[in-house]
């Protein structure tokens, strides 16, 4: 079974790097040094892509993508990343076409796919499903989103975007806005931002606020300021505003979803009044929460953010598969 990242740091790595053969399940498994190493490698991959280099780092390696929930960015950018590194990709984008529709368990699926691929990327509706996958896989597993749990590779893309835009990763005032209860990208990102010493403003209606236990855990681990509000005006003074869509698929009451779908909308009016001149970020897809009328404004970095999915995932795949026969 491939293990989680251990205590080796980038500075004391041996021949194979600290990430070689490991799983990527939770952002909480990594230190700042680990994350900075991943972001440095991502930047090198970005420059390589800009130079149109033909890379063969992962020639003869195969990645399997097992997606039990819909995706555009995560699955396709992982597949693009693998192919940009000379490797191959197999998998399914629709679990109803896989044998899970006949009752096969996740455990059996990853056991089998471990003999077809060198690494497995999984998206699953159940928070915590990755533990079952890791237990049964004999190759590294990457969490591509587990229910309302985590989406750690998205958090790495988000951090990379902030570093590219702001030229630093700490000491920023950052607003997380909207569905902070169900958004798995938020759950990974909040930990990562706090780890780097950013101050967080959590803006949500009470029903969609970040779970209290998570807020307390973040505060006690990283000793950063975390404040709560239900007013979007609070976001205007921040340097970064991160606003995912309200997660419709997590609501049991569709009327409740419709009550919150347009609760906050970032638009031209918001940006014109915003003292902090914030960049606007989103994991996408967007629904109602980001007005199309800001797409061409300099603050709107969400499409660039999505494009960074390829270099960041190239970095992740090459670091995990480095030194693996
Ligand atoms: N950001 C993100 O996870 O997008 P997809 O659902 O399209 O993969």
């Amino acid at each position: 079974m491939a293990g989680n990242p251990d205590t080796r740091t980038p500075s004391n790595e041996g021949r194979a790097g600290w990430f070689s053969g490991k799983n990527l399940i939770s952002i909480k498994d990594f230190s700042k040094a680990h994350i900075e190493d991943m972001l440095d490698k991502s930047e090198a991959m970005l420059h390589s892509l800009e130079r149109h280099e033909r890379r063969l780092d992962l020639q003869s390696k195969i990645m399997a993508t097992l997606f039990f929930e819909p995706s555009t960015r995560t699955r396709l950018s992982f597949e693009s990343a693998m192919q940009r590194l000379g490797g191959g990709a197999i998998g399914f984008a629709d679990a109803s076409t896989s044998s899970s529709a006949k009752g096969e368990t996740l455990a059996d699926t990853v056991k089998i796919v471990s003999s077809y691929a060198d690494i497995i990327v999984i998206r699953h509706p159940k928070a915590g499903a990755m533990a079952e996958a890791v237990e049964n896989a004999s190759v590294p597993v990457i969490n591509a989103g587990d229910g309302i749990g985590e989406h750690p590779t998205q958090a790495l893309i988000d951090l990379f975007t902030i570093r590219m835009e702001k030229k630093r990763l700490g000491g920023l005032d950052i607003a997380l806005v909207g569905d902070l209860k169900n958004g798995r990208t938020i759950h990974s990102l909040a930990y990562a931002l706090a780890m780097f010493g950013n101050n967080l403003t959590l803006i949500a209606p009470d029903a969609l606020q970040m779970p209290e236990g998570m807020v307390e855990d973040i505060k006690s681990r990283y000793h950063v300021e975390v404040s709560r509000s239900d007013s979007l005006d609070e976001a205007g003074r921040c340097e970064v505003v991160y606003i995912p869509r309200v997660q419709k698929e997590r609501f049991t009451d569709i009327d409740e979803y419709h009550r919150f779908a347009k609760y906050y909308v970032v638009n031209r009016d918001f940006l014109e009044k915003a003292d902090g001149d914030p960049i606007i970020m989103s994991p996408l897809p967007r629904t109602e929460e980001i007005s199309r009328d800001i797409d061409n404004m300099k603050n709107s970095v969400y499409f660039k953010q999505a494009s960074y999915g390829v270099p960041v995932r190239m970095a992740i795949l090459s670091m995990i598969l480095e030194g693996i026969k």
Side-chain angles (χ1 to χ4, degrees):
M1 184 179 77
N4 282 322
D6 60 24
T7 51
R8 281 178 296 162
T9 62
S11 59
N12 69 3
E13 67 192 39
R15 268 165 43 102
W18 60 269
F19 211 178
S20 174
K22 301 294 190 288
N23 304 300
L24 199 175
I25 304 302
S26 166
I27 203 74
K28 289 175 267 184
D29 291 334
F30 300 96
S31 68
K32 270 172 72 170
H34 288 136
I35 290 175
E36 275 163 352
D37 197 33
M38 287 189 258
L39 300 186
D40 289 346
K41 184 85 175 188
S42 301
E43 198 163 339
M45 289 297 182
L46 177 65
H47 295 319
S48 177
L49 286 169
E50 286 168 349
R51 289 192 296 268
H52 303 285
E53 286 175 356
R54 181 171 141 74
R55 302 187 68 108
L56 297 171
D57 312 44
L58 298 183
Q59 194 177 25
S60 84
K61 290 285 186 282
I62 294 177
M63 171 188 70
T65 52
L66 313 183
F67 274 57
F68 296 87
E69 281 193 333
S71 169
T72 296
R73 276 146 292 275
T74 308
R75 189 177 63 82
L76 295 181
S77 63
F78 261 116
E79 293 186 4
S80 175
M82 194 63 182
Q83 292 185 29
R84 294 277 187 215
L85 292 168
I90 59 172
F92 54 80
D94 176 357
S96 70
T97 66
S98 79
S99 286
S100 66
K102 300 180 222 162
E104 186 166 55
T105 61
L106 179 63
D108 283 357
T109 302
V110 298
K111 244 179 224 166
I112 300 302
V113 174
S114 292
S115 64
Y116 301 160
D118 302 288
I119 189 162
I120 303 177
V121 180
I122 305 177
R123 172 168 287 186
H124 198 276
K126 196 171 106 195
M130 297 304 143
E132 184 181 352
V134 166
E135 188 65 29
N136 289 282
S138 52
V139 297
V141 171
I142 296 179
N143 178 3
D146 60 324
I148 64 165
E150 280 211 48
H151 193 349
T153 64
Q154 180 66 47
L156 294 168
I157 294 164
D158 302 338
L159 294 178
F160 185 71
T161 305
I162 293 170
R163 198 172 84 160
M164 294 298 284
E165 292 295 315
K166 296 290 179 189
K167 310 299 176 210
R168 65 193 163 107
L169 207 43
L172 295 163
D173 287 319
I174 299 183
L176 305 177
V177 181
D179 189 352
L180 311 186
K181 177 183 172 195
N182 300 305
R184 60 190 168 204
T185 68
I186 290 279
H187 296 166
S188 291
L189 182 60
Y191 278 88
L193 292 174
M195 191 188 307
F196 280 89
N198 297 289
N199 298 317
L200 304 181
T201 303
L202 308 178
I203 299 175
D206 283 348
L208 297 183
Q209 255 300 355
M210 186 174 285
E212 184 64 31
M214 190 175 286
V215 175
E216 290 310 314
D217 190 34
I218 288 169
K219 287 203 290 204
S220 72
R221 280 174 190 247
Y222 306 117
H223 311 291
V224 291
E225 280 181 35
V226 182
S227 59
R228 272 173 277 202
S229 171
D230 66 359
S231 168
L232 186 60
D233 292 345
E234 288 287 318
R237 59 165 183 80
C238 292
E239 293 149 290
V240 177
V241 173
Y242 188 97
I243 178 164
R245 74 191 162 89
V246 176
Q247 309 283 298
K248 184 178 186 179
E249 64 274 32
R250 311 295 175 210
F251 283 74
T252 47
D253 177 352
I254 195 68
D255 292 335
E256 196 184 9
Y257 164 73
H258 286 298
R259 192 146 52 87
F260 293 122
K262 289 192 238 181
Y263 199 88
Y264 302 115
V265 179
V266 170
N267 55 21
R268 192 169 277 269
D269 184 49
F270 167 81
L271 277 175
E272 282 169 358
K273 288 184 194 146
D275 298 336
D277 196 24
I279 57 168
I280 307 301
M281 296 179 63
S282 161
L284 301 177
R286 73 170 149 194
T287 50
E288 314 278 0
E289 69 291 341
I290 299 176
S291 169
R292 272 79 182 155
D293 72 358
I294 67 163
D295 283 354
N296 295 321
M297 292 180 75
K298 68 170 176 40
N299 308 68
S300 302
V301 301
Y302 32 86
F303 293 128
K304 200 193 295 183
Q305 181 186 350
S307 77
Y308 290 147
V310 176
V312 172
R313 289 176 172 129
M314 286 171 76
I316 291 165
L317 290 170
S318 66
M319 291 172 84
I320 294 178
L321 290 173
E322 180 186 21
I324 301 223
K325 291 277 182 281

